[in-house]
Structure formats: C-alpha cells, structure tokens
Amino acid sequence: MLEGTKNLFQENEDIIIDTESDATSVIQRIKTKPYDIYLIDINMPLENGINLARHIKSIQSNASVILYTGDDITDYYHLILERKIEGILAKTASKEQIIRTVRAIANGEIVLPQNFLDFLDDKFQLQNAKFDIHLNEKEKKILRLIAEGHTNKAIAIELNIPQRTTERYLTQLFSLLNVDSRTEAVNLAEKMNLL
C-alpha cells in the first residue's frame, strides 16, 4: 500500500514525497526534516495514525495532516473538528482525488467530503445551516449555467472565454466545493443556498 500510494505522485514533479513504514520513526525524522503535508494511514502497527497525527501537530503546529483509511471515513469525521485534521481520504479514492486533495491542502484549503455537511447537521442539529463558502459572481454564474445543463462549450460562449479557461474554472470550483461532478456541485450549491 505504501509503495502504491507513493507511485501515485511519481508523475507530479511539483510534489516531492518521502515514505516511512515505521510510524515510531516519524517523530524523530521530522525533528530534522519537517514536511508540509503528512498522509497518514490510520491503521498501522505499533502506533495508530490518529496518535501519530497528534504527535506531529504538537511538534510542528503548521503541519497539515490527511488521514488515510480503508475504513468508512465517516467514522473519523469528528477528528476534523477535535484534532483539526485537514483532510480524510479513503484508500478507495481515485488518483485524481488524492492529488487534488494534497494540492488543495498545500494551498491552505481544508478538504471535506460532501457528506461531512450531514455529519455537522447531525452533530450540531443545525437546520438550514449556512457555511462560510464565498463564491465570486463568475463562480455563481458558472454554477447556474451548470444547473441549467450547459456544456463546457456553451458556458465558454456565454462567458466569452476560451473553453480551456472554462474547464480550469470548473476544476477550481469543484475543488472549492470538494465535489467530483456537475451534479454534486449543483446539489451542494442548492443545499448551501449558493445559487
């Protein structure tokens, strides 16, 4: 699993990755060589990833941690709030989703699955919650056009921009909303009253 995950990043020259198979060695290692982001398997021998994440953050307060698990990620949502974990990924996540998550967190974003909103609603019993996601007018217009069923080409024509620029805007919007499809983006935007 460790080598497979490492291989995901090999084609991305902007991402430099080191691996460590012994969780107990990580703390000593980062004292001399800290990292920006730690992708930590929750279930490891000798020390679990949750404790390791806590130790890392106590030594390096600006460290970003992504927990990586083969379990149901919803079981760990409470850690996002309690331990200030920046992201949680399932081991079944696609290569693109993993890389997108790492890049977003490297840019100072917190990446949450869409159903994390349901977790918050259950936890805090919030009705009609509004979350602090601010879209600019162009992003709102793109969302409205997506909701109306426009293709990328039609959106490009409507906004008078190249289709590649439209695709870049869509990628950024999906990353901001942490969704993988147009349908998820529209559903989330409607739920959060962003349209």
Side-chain angles (χ1 to χ4, degrees):
M1 180 60 82
L2 186 65
E3 284 305 310
T5 304
K6 183 177 180 179
N7 290 337
L8 291 177
F9 298 99
Q10 295 299 338
E11 297 169 10
N12 299 276
E13 294 178 5
D14 61 321
I15 299 174
I16 299 169
I17 183 169
D18 287 325
T19 58
E20 180 58 66
S21 59
D22 181 0
T24 58
S25 300
V26 172
I27 298 303
Q28 290 303 316
R29 184 175 183 172
I30 68 170
K31 287 178 180 176
T32 57
K33 186 178 181 184
Y35 296 86
D36 297 319
I37 298 173
Y38 298 86
L39 180 62
I40 303 173
D41 194 331
I42 290 177
N43 298 309
M44 297 182 290
L46 303 178
E47 179 166 25
N48 72 53
I50 296 165
N51 287 336
L52 180 58
R54 183 174 49 80
H55 290 310
I56 288 170
K57 284 186 169 280
S58 70
I59 292 169
Q60 187 185 343
S61 60
N62 65 337
S64 294
V65 172
I66 304 168
L67 295 177
Y68 198 44
T69 182
D71 300 329
D72 183 353
I73 63 172
T74 61
D75 294 341
Y76 300 102
Y77 281 176
H78 65 283
L79 296 173
I80 293 171
L81 301 174
E82 294 168 9
R83 302 281 175 90
K84 297 182 180 176
I85 300 298
E86 285 75 14
I88 298 178
L89 283 169
K91 290 182 180 176
T92 56
S94 68
K95 174 182 178 179
E96 292 76 22
Q97 185 179 5
I98 293 169
I99 291 171
R100 186 179 70 236
T101 299
V102 168
R103 284 198 169 120
I105 289 174
N107 287 324
E109 301 168 23
I110 294 176
V111 181
L112 303 170
Q114 183 176 351
N115 66 358
F116 184 75
L117 299 175
D118 296 330
F119 166 78
L120 286 179
D121 195 43
D122 292 342
K123 183 170 179 62
F124 298 111
Q125 299 175 351
L126 298 174
Q127 296 298 322
N128 301 318
K130 291 186 179 178
F131 297 88
D132 193 25
I133 290 181
H134 299 287
L135 300 179
N136 62 37
E137 287 308 310
K138 187 172 283 185
E139 290 166 333
K140 288 178 184 176
K141 185 166 187 176
I142 290 171
L143 267 177
R144 285 192 292 273
L145 293 170
I146 292 171
E148 293 169 8
H150 286 67
T151 63
N152 289 0
K153 185 175 182 178
I155 293 170
I157 292 168
E158 181 74 26
L159 297 178
N160 196 28
I161 57 176
Q163 187 170 334
R164 285 199 182 271
T165 303
T166 300
E167 291 164 1
R168 192 176 75 245
Y169 282 147
L170 285 172
T171 300
Q172 291 169 349
L173 185 60
F174 288 3
S175 178
L176 176 65
L177 297 174
N178 193 32
V179 296
D180 295 315
S181 71
R182 292 167 170 260
T183 303
E184 288 179 16
V186 170
N187 290 342
L188 182 61
E190 287 174 350
K191 181 173 183 178
M192 298 173 69
N193 299 317
L194 296 173
L195 287 176

